[in-house]
């Protein structure tokens, strides 16, 4: 099967999807042509996959991407697979005109206040109209699917929407290596060490964690945070921490390829997100055996419910603090439960399930 894969914004989640899903053995009979803007971060993805037939690097403009898309669609691939809403919209009309089947994987969700006012209503109508041209719309999780159907009820007609939950390379996170982050940062053994592994943007709720740390710093349970996040407003966040006198409680580490060891180096992974589509981080932490404390926001709740993970109402710093205190009081028992859950988490979240389901869609559409 000759598949054209298109992405306008191949960020962390989409890059990881490419590496995990297209690297699975079931995808060995798929020949992929990638069309993405030229970025250094994508080069290692291309090189790490054995089924890449061609890589086309566009300039970082919509026009350049669209021009490259037209040229490649005229070469008649068996189907085109777009990733992200922007790529889906760009691909929709030319795919219909050239009669190339189109799978659109959506890696985000629609927010309640996204389509306010007349301009918002027009934008909503336009997006819905273009998405309706897709052969298959593939949200990356149950919550994302429900969000799609609630936003655009008519898109659910005719089995156009096919949910396939995100997955991870479980075997990579089943190791027992531990990074001694306490020693690296001189954090007291008695203190609670939380891990923040998200981007520094409003969506990830870093500010809520900062507020919790500030309120707990003078208590009998101060919280220290190991930050492995990146991008967004990291410099602004660091400056704000210094202004609030919280620098000693937040330790920033460079990006690492040894994520399992880093995850196992913290007591608990904290995800105070405001919304998610279907996040990989809690899956990775649970397979590594590290407890997770996450908000009950869309996307995240789906992953951590029915697991040993802890949950708190999205946006509530009081409940976040209460759950941190509860974890500290019951840490040995919760940790034991999380370690026992590792095999089940490894099976539940393994990317093999994702790849097989996607391959089945490919096969059905190219017969």
């Amino acid at each position: 099967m000759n598949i054209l894969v298109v992405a306008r914004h191949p960020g962390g989640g989409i890059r990881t999807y490419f590496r995990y899903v297209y690297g699975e053995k079931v995808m060995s009979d798929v020949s992929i042509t990638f069309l993405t803007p030229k970025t250094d971060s994508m080069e290692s993805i291309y090189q790490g996959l054995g089924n890449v037939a061609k890589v086309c690097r566009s300039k970082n403009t919509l026009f350049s991407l669209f021009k490259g898309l037209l040229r490649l669609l005229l070469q008649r691939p068996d189907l085109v697979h777009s990733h992200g809403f922007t790529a889906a919209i760009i691909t929709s009309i030319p795919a219909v005109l050239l009669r190339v089947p189109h799978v659109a994987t959506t890696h985000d969700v629609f927010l309640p206040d996204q389509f306010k006012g007349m301009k918002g209503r027009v934008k909503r109508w336009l997006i819905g109209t273009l998405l309706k041209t897709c052969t298959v719309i593939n949200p990356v999780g149950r919550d994302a699917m429900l969000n799609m159907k609630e936003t655009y009820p008519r898109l659910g007609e005719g089995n156009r929407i096919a949910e396939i939950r995100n997955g991870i390379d479980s075997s990579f996170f089943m190791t027992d290596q531990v990074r001694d982050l306490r020693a690296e940062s001189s954090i007291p053994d008695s203190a609670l060490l939380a891990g923040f592994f998200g981007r520094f943007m409003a969506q990830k709720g870093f500010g809520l964690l900062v507020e919790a740390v500030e309120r707990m710093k003078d208590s009998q349970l101060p919280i220290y945070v190991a930050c492995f996040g990146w991008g967004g407003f990291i410099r602004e966040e660091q400056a704000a921490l210094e202004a609030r006198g919280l620098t000693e409680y937040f330790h920033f580490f460079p990006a690492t390829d040894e994520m399992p060891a880093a995850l196992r180096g913290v007591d608990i992974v904290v995800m105070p997100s405001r919304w998610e589509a279907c996040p990989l981080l809690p899956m990775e932490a649970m397979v590594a055996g590290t407890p997770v404390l996450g908000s009950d926001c869309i996307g995240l709740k789906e992953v951590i419910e029915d697991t040993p993970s802890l949950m708190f109402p999205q946006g509530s710093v009081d409940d976040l603090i209460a759950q941190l205190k509860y974890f500290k009081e019951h840490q040995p028992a919760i940790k034991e439960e999380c370690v026992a859950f590792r095999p089940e988490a490894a099976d539940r979240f393994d990317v093999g399930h994702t790849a097989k389901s996607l391959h089945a869609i490919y096969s059905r559409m190219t017969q």
Side-chain angles (χ1 to χ4, degrees), residues 5 27 89 161 201 218 295:
V5 173
M27 289 289 179
I89 291 168
I161 298 179
M201 51 196 297
D218 296 324
S295 74

Side-chain angles (χ1 to χ4, degrees), residues 194-212:
F196 181 84
F197 293 81
R199 295 190 68 191
F200 291 94
M201 51 196 297
Q203 174 191 352
K204 302 301 181 181
F206 183 69
L208 198 74
L209 181 58
V210 171
E211 188 174 346

Side-chain angles (χ1 to χ4, degrees), residues 264-302:
R264 290 170 58 80
V266 300
D267 295 322
I268 189 169
V269 172
V270 180
M271 294 187 65
S273 303
R274 296 170 60 189
W275 75 88
E276 299 280 355
C278 188
L280 301 181
L281 174 60
M283 302 179 191
E284 295 168 345
M286 282 187 273
V287 175
T290 301
V292 175
L293 170 57
S295 74
D296 63 355
C297 72
I298 183 174
L300 178 54
K301 180 180 179 181
E302 169 189 354

